[in-house]
Amino acid sequence: MPDSAPEPKDLNLGPVTYLMSPSGGRYPDGNSILVEGERESVLIDPAIGLNTRERALPRVDRVLHSHCHEDHIAASHLFADVPWHFHSLDLPGITSLDAMMAIYGLGGEVEAGFRNMIVETFHYQSRPDPTAFEDGDRFDLGGVTIDVIHTPGHTRGHCCLMIRWKDAEGERSLLYLGDIELTSFGPYYGDAWSDLEAFEHSLAKVREIDARHYVTFHHVGALEGQRAFRERLDRFAAVIPQREARLLDFLRDPHTLEEIAEHRFVYRPGDPVSFIDCVERRSMAQHIERLLREGRVRETEPGRFTAASGRG
Ligand SMILES: [Zn+2]
């Protein structure tokens, strides 16, 4: 295929290969991770791009998933003969398409369209027999280990994975962050199975984890050292209070949740994604709940909110 663009080079870090997608891991694609031990090889989060990868796919003994979302399972079906692992809380999503749709909780016409897309674009294939892992579980591949760190918020069962090995320089470590994606978009907590405050706790938790390398599924690439990681993480986390501050500003006049969703605090106005309204509503409802609890927002009449210091 001489006319096709050259595929990006994978990044090799000891037994870890970061399988770079041609788009740099931009949604709907992502960068999967292959970990090759002396006894076993594990693939983490098989991305959609693996379906058309020209280079040979690796032989793997099991597939680990940071969480059950469409873009993280989009090439799992290529490895149908080996065990698929998820955190127990996200496990139901892979057992049936209905269970998968419950994670998003879209409803109505939007759900029907997204349901089709998950099957046709993302190659969703249910598995009756997925395997659960829990926080603190360890996979020993021989000379390299993978530890599960439960970091809920994006989904209930979202996990980061800490990979450790030794080389001539001594202990090496890589923290795979899944969809704690460190992008300028900021944290995503707009699904039925998302939780804003759980996400905030998870951000604080990973901030304390010291590793040599940090990688995400989407297009940030590999970061070296905790200092570089914390800089990116702090900018990513800051999007949450920025959304909240913009919301409080908007609520100087009373507004309903529908009006808040229409105004757009998560996506940019005009972003053409079918499920935006639902995601905006669910994301910002969690901010409203928190602000009501803290007395910084009040409900002037049923379903209409205003900043405590605002008009109305
Ligand atoms: Zn996700």
Side-chain angles (χ1 to χ4, degrees):
M1 301 259 289
D3 291 340
S4 61
E7 285 198 28
K9 249 180 109 56
D10 293 334
L11 180 63
N12 284 299
L13 300 161
V16 180
T17 308
Y18 195 35
L19 303 169
M20 306 300 283
S21 91
S23 68
R26 200 168 294 275
Y27 183 89
D29 209 352
N31 304 308
S32 304
I33 294 183
L34 176 68
V35 189
E36 293 171 290
E38 287 150 13
R39 286 192 303 277
E40 274 199 5
S41 293
V42 162
L43 182 63
I44 303 171
D45 286 352
I48 197 169
L50 295 186
N51 288 286
T52 52
R53 194 176 156 98
E54 288 171 20
R55 285 166 287 175
L57 284 171
R59 191 195 63 78
V60 300
D61 299 290
R62 57 188 79 246
V63 178
L64 266 53
H65 301 87
S66 62
H67 64 295
C68 195
H69 264 167
E70 74 286 0
D71 45 337
H72 296 252
I73 54 112
S76 300
H77 70 104
L78 299 174
F79 307 93
D81 299 334
V82 305
W84 293 0
H85 299 255
F86 294 83
H87 186 276
S88 58
L89 292 175
D90 269 20
L91 194 74
I94 205 67
T95 59
S96 78
L97 190 51
D98 285 341
M100 182 77 174
M101 296 316 296
I103 293 178
Y104 308 105
L106 292 168
E109 259 174 53
V110 176
E111 172 153 329
F114 198 56
R115 179 182 279 262
N116 271 343
M117 192 163 121
I118 281 180
V119 174
E120 280 162 25
T121 307
F122 290 97
H123 309 275
Y124 177 88
Q125 207 169 79
S126 66
R127 260 303 270 265
D129 61 344
T131 310
F133 54 63
E134 304 293 344
D135 184 55
D137 280 1
R138 167 170 289 188
F139 295 84
D140 186 347
L141 283 51
V144 53
T145 57
I146 304 176
D147 290 305
V148 174
I149 303 164
H150 186 209
T151 48
H154 181 69
T155 62
R156 291 173 186 167
H158 184 279
C159 288
C160 294
L161 298 166
M162 175 62 104
I163 305 166
R164 288 194 177 88
W165 68 97
K166 285 198 178 90
D167 66 11
E169 287 176 38
E171 289 266 346
R172 301 286 292 252
S173 55
L174 179 147
L175 183 65
Y176 173 58
L177 292 151
D179 270 356
I180 297 181
E181 55 176 29
L182 308 181
T183 56
S184 57
F185 179 85
Y188 176 96
Y189 40 87
D191 284 2
W193 283 25
S194 300
D195 187 304
L196 164 61
E197 291 185 350
F199 209 137
E200 290 174 321
H201 285 130
S202 293
L203 290 169
K205 183 175 177 177
V206 296
R207 196 175 189 283
E208 298 309 313
I209 299 175
D210 188 14
R212 173 76 174 265
H213 310 278
Y214 298 81
V215 301
T216 64
F217 185 66
H218 295 296
H219 49 96
V220 168
L223 299 172
E224 284 278 318
Q226 196 176 17
R227 196 169 151 184
F229 165 62
R230 281 183 166 176
E231 275 176 23
R232 282 305 288 247
L233 183 77
D234 290 347
R235 265 188 280 157
F236 177 70
V239 174
I240 296 176
Q242 284 158 13
R243 286 176 188 150
E244 200 155 291
R246 284 173 48 225
L247 175 63
L248 279 169
D249 191 49
F250 185 62
L251 291 181
R252 281 185 297 174
D253 291 314
H255 287 290
T256 64
L257 195 52
E258 289 314 308
E259 290 162 350
I260 292 166
E262 222 167 275
H263 187 74
R264 300 278 188 259
F265 291 89
V266 179
Y267 291 89
R268 288 181 303 262
D271 267 358
V273 183
S274 62
F275 47 77
I276 281 185
D277 282 338
C278 187
V279 170
E280 288 280 349
R281 210 161 35 237
R282 188 137 44 210
S283 300
M284 299 322 288
Q286 294 178 78
H287 285 279
I288 292 279
E289 263 170 52
R290 164 154 67 195
L291 292 166
L292 282 169
R293 209 169 57 227
E294 292 173 350
R296 298 166 71 199
V297 156
R298 59 198 164 82
E299 199 167 4
T300 52
E301 58 185 274
R304 191 171 283 275
F305 306 95
T306 191
S309 55
R311 294 185 281 265

